[in-house]
Amino acid sequence: GLVVGSNEGRPVFLRDVARIRQGPERPEHYVWVGAGPNGADKGLDFSGTRPAVSIAVAKKPGTNAADIATAVIERFEQLRGTFIPDGVEVSITRDYGATADEKAGKLISKLIFATLSVILLVLLTIGWREALIVGAAVVVTLAITLFASWAWGFTLNRVSLFALIFSIGILVDDAIVVVENIHRHLALGAKHLLEAIPRAVDEVGGPTILATFTVIAALLPMAFVSGLMGPYMSPIPINASMGMLISLAVAFIFTPWLTNRALANTAVHLAAHGGGDTDQGPLFDLFRRVMSPFLDPRAGRRNRWLLFISVMLLIVDSAALVGNRSVVLKMLPFDNKSEFQVVLDMPEGSSLEQTARVLTELGEYIGQVPEVTDYEVYAGSSAPISFNGLVRQYYLRQGAHQGDIQVNLVDRAQRQRKSHEIALAVRAPLQAIARPHGGNVKVVEVPPGPPVMAPLVAEIYGIDYQGQITAARALRETFEQTPDIVDVDDSVEHPGPKILLRVDRAKAARLGVSQQSVAQALATVLKGEDITYLHGEKVRYPVPIRLEYAEADKADLNQVLALRVRSQNGNLVPLVEVVEQVNGSREQTIHHKDLMPVVYVTGDMAGETDSPLYG
């Protein structure tokens, strides 16, 4: 009802010259959640989709992920009915605390199993007392190694636990060698442990020390690897090397002391029976039958050459298994995760609504996959950053033409197919849905090791960026034509049109129109301008009153150029009178690596071999 002017003696109201409506701002992104066939497992017992808000919680360094996740979930439950009203449902879509706890528990059980296996082996081959000595040495070595790892700054995680399991077979070598040689000296007739132990330890001390430092020399260089792989893998060589040094000290200090205490009765018993060589048993007979043909004075030389030739042929056959792909070489085996991600890239310039429509079709297909519990769709915005996003920079995906779908699966104990098999099965149908709309779909799995930009990455450098783009397109065609290479993409943006409105300064000056008024008018009608605020009694924050063109008028350049601006003498001058339209293209983003312009071409491998090496 505000009077903004008069015409022929009658007032002109604001409603006569503008369409006024109250509502939300134009959305810049959409987020919604959908339930899959197993959605009831997470309490999502609805059909279709619902709008959602994602909250991501990250832990501080040095804290326990499982404890933090449990505390956050408990806090959510306490907020129900107060800060979280009825009708608003909360669902935990991703819990890496539970995943870390499960992995740690599994690795600890493997560590216990490996230790018991070593003890059982010693029990069967030497004796139960010696098995107890070796078991105690392993426990002491692991305890001191864990303390040293903590003092070094490592936490108890999957990588550090893997390092202990990896080195458990090496850690017990020193103790077994010392105990076995002490046992041998007693069997040969040594009457006193205090005499036998120093002699036995000294006899194997030099080779044991040399073997320990040889293993350390093989492992330790891995600790100096740079890049993301360095901090990820460093607990393995450092923990294993510390464990080897500690096991050497335990073998020369703790093991002889415990042997002196545990084998006292055995030494007295063997001394009473006069000692003797106890190797005359089943193991000695087996050793003699196997080794005698190679030590025979007559045929031994021929047999040794036959053995050498056989070993070399087996080595060649082993290498041939890789050549004929009977054995597929991979960096790391695929893990059976409970999630994967679908990344959608529409052509630059696509509207948010078009991207959301394609994501809706993709989500409808994903919602029919039997193993899916739920999926979260992010249109125009990035999903909460994941392990992959550390390197692929998914947190920068904010454009209207980009979208993510986070897919969650039921527990692996409740499904037949592995997550990798499910990802392979849905890739082709998802790409078939997006391709008619110009979209590029990539199915991204959680890597078993450090994240990378893509399993296949080509980097094109040169002195001419347009030449780099041309080479990248040719290389992309090669990727697409190579069998089993999928999810091909590049870092080149789709060329988009750009309209430059150049002000004719001379003409604008004659008409009394400043360049600033032209720019301000265009910004107001296209981007909108908050000209004032509406203050209500029951409104917590003032509501901005925004002046802008209708969406249909924004898309019509003629309507934009028909806008009139007031000159200095009060006349209204259409913009078309003072501006010149110049058609061009938008500047493309230039990626840099090591301060050099680079164009990336990426891809993945799927099919029978399923290894990027062969692609």
Side-chain angles (χ1 to χ4, degrees):
L2 183 66
V3 178
V4 295
S6 63
N7 183 30
E8 297 179 356
R10 288 188 290 183
V12 178
F13 297 96
L14 183 60
R15 60 175 174 265
D16 297 330
V17 295
R19 289 190 297 271
I20 304 170
R21 60 180 178 86
Q22 185 175 5
E25 292 194 55
R26 186 183 180 187
E28 297 181 355
H29 60 266
Y30 296 106
V31 180
W32 67 89
V33 61
N38 290 278
D41 294 349
K42 287 190 174 181
L44 302 174
D45 53 357
F46 60 87
S47 59
T49 61
R50 291 186 179 180
V53 174
S54 292
I55 300 178
V57 180
K59 74 178 189 68
K60 293 181 179 180
T63 56
N64 190 300
D67 294 342
I68 299 298
T70 302
V72 171
I73 295 172
E74 291 177 353
R75 183 59 177 161
F76 264 124
E77 295 300 326
Q78 295 171 1
L79 295 177
R80 289 186 184 273
T82 54
F83 289 95
I84 302 178
D86 294 337
V88 177
E89 298 297 328
V90 177
S91 175
I92 307 299
T93 58
R94 190 174 72 192
D95 184 1
Y96 282 167
T99 304
D101 190 50
E102 176 193 359
K103 293 289 186 181
K106 184 177 180 180
L107 287 171
I108 290 174
S109 65
K110 295 287 186 182
L111 185 62
I112 296 174
F113 175 78
T115 304
L116 293 178
S117 300
V118 171
I119 295 174
L120 179 62
L121 179 64
V122 178
L123 173 67
L124 296 176
T125 54
I126 302 179
W128 67 270
R129 290 185 177 87
E130 289 81 356
L132 291 178
I133 296 172
V134 172
V138 171
V139 172
V140 171
T141 301
L142 290 178
I144 301 177
T145 303
L146 286 174
F147 173 78
S149 179
W150 169 81
W152 193 272
F154 293 134
T155 59
L156 192 64
N157 52 52
R158 283 176 279 181
V159 180
S160 58
L161 285 173
F162 170 76
L164 294 178
I165 298 175
F166 163 76
S167 59
I168 189 69
I170 308 174
L171 297 181
V172 299
D173 281 356
D174 298 344
I176 291 177
V177 168
V178 170
V179 171
E180 193 277 336
N181 203 44
I182 294 174
H183 178 86
R184 188 179 69 87
H185 275 262
L186 293 177
L188 291 176
K191 297 183 178 180
H192 300 288
L193 279 171
L194 294 179
E195 296 178 2
I197 289 176
R199 190 180 302 114
V201 174
D202 180 66
E203 192 173 63
V204 297
T208 303
I209 295 173
L210 182 61
T212 300
F213 280 96
T214 301
V215 175
I216 293 176
L219 290 175
L220 201 55
M222 194 189 304
F224 299 96
V225 175
S226 60
L228 183 63
M229 197 73 173
Y232 186 87
M233 300 296 290
S234 60
I236 295 178
I238 294 177
N239 272 349
S241 299
M242 288 192 303
M244 288 297 299
L245 291 175
I246 293 170
S247 70
L248 187 65
V250 169
F252 290 161
I253 300 172
F254 175 79
T255 301
W257 170 82
L258 187 59
T259 304
N260 183 46
R261 302 296 298 270
L263 296 185
N265 294 333
T266 302
V268 173
H269 176 76
L270 290 175
H273 290 77
D277 191 358
T278 60
D279 286 340
Q280 304 294 337
L283 288 177
F284 180 77
D285 293 338
L286 176 62
F287 178 82
R288 183 173 55 186
R289 286 196 298 270
V290 172
M291 299 302 296
S292 293
F294 302 104
L295 302 176
D296 186 84
R298 299 178 182 177
R301 182 179 179 84
R302 183 197 63 185
N303 293 335
R304 289 192 295 272
W305 273 104
L306 290 176
L307 176 63
F308 174 75
I309 294 173
S310 301
V311 171
M312 297 304 298
L313 289 176
L314 290 175
I315 293 175
V316 173
D317 290 341
S318 300
L321 293 176
V322 178
N324 59 26
R325 301 191 185 182
S326 298
V327 175
V328 177
L329 286 183
K330 296 181 181 180
M331 182 66 180
L332 289 170
F334 291 109
D335 200 357
N336 191 8
K337 303 289 186 179
S338 60
E339 62 176 299
F340 63 88
Q341 194 170 357
V342 178
V343 177
L344 172 66
D345 289 309
M346 297 289 289
E348 281 81 357
S350 299
S351 65
L352 178 63
E353 286 68 25
Q354 174 68 1
T355 303
R357 187 163 71 91
V358 178
L359 288 170
T360 300
E361 296 182 20
L362 298 175
E364 290 175 353
Y365 175 81
I366 292 173
Q368 299 174 1
V369 178
E371 295 87 353
V372 172
T373 58
D374 60 289
Y375 60 94
E376 292 75 47
V377 184
Y378 303 85
S381 176
S382 62
I385 189 169
S386 60
F387 193 42
N388 266 327
L390 296 174
V391 171
R392 304 189 182 192
Q393 299 177 343
Y394 283 166
Y395 60 91
L396 297 177
R397 297 175 54 84
Q398 302 291 338
H401 63 285
Q402 296 177 325
D404 289 354
I405 303 180
Q406 181 72 37
V407 184
N408 298 312
L409 309 174
V410 295
D411 187 80
R412 56 188 175 186
Q414 303 177 20
R415 50 184 162 90
Q416 298 292 330
R417 295 191 295 177
K418 296 182 178 180
S419 61
H420 179 64
E421 297 174 356
I422 299 172
L424 286 178
V426 303
R427 176 179 277 110
L430 292 177
Q431 291 175 340
I433 293 173
R435 194 175 296 114
H437 303 283
N440 185 3
V441 169
K442 295 181 283 292
V443 178
V444 182
E445 301 178 63
V446 180
V452 293
M453 180 179 294
L456 284 171
V457 180
E459 301 175 359
I460 296 92
Y461 299 91
I463 58 175
D464 177 18
Y465 193 69
Q466 290 300 322
Q468 292 175 247
I469 294 177
T470 303
R473 288 172 178 164
L475 187 57
R476 177 169 179 167
E477 292 181 3
T478 304
F479 273 43
E480 292 172 342
Q481 295 171 2
T482 304
D484 296 337
I485 292 186
V486 297
D487 293 352
V488 180
D489 200 1
D490 56 51
S491 61
V492 181
E493 294 179 348
H494 185 77
K498 178 181 179 180
I499 299 175
L500 180 65
L501 298 180
R502 185 174 297 160
V503 178
D504 188 338
R505 296 184 179 181
K507 190 173 184 180
R510 289 196 301 268
L511 295 174
V513 178
S514 65
Q515 185 171 339
Q516 180 182 0
S517 62
V518 174
Q520 184 177 358
L522 288 173
T524 300
V525 299
L526 294 179
K527 297 177 61 177
E529 181 181 356
D530 295 338
I531 55 177
T532 185
Y533 292 89
L534 185 66
H535 300 271
E537 294 181 359
K538 298 181 180 181
V539 179
R540 185 172 185 179
Y541 299 104
V543 179
I545 298 178
R546 182 165 299 171
L547 178 65
E548 64 179 353
Y549 259 14
E551 295 299 326
D553 294 335
K554 291 181 182 180
D556 188 355
L557 183 61
N558 292 327
Q559 286 285 348
V560 174
L561 295 181
L563 178 67
R564 298 184 179 188
V565 295
R566 192 172 298 276
S567 64
Q568 294 177 355
N569 56 16
N571 296 328
L572 294 177
V573 180
L575 289 180
V576 70
E577 295 289 339
V578 295
V579 299
E580 177 188 0
Q581 177 182 338
V582 179
N583 294 322
S585 58
R586 291 181 295 181
E587 295 181 354
Q588 295 177 320
T589 301
I590 300 179
H591 295 261
H592 287 79
K593 182 176 181 181
D594 298 332
L595 302 180
M596 297 178 62
V598 60
V599 178
Y600 296 103
V601 179
T602 58
D604 199 351
M605 195 75 179
E608 295 182 1
T609 54
D610 227 352
S611 173
L613 171 67
Y614 303 96

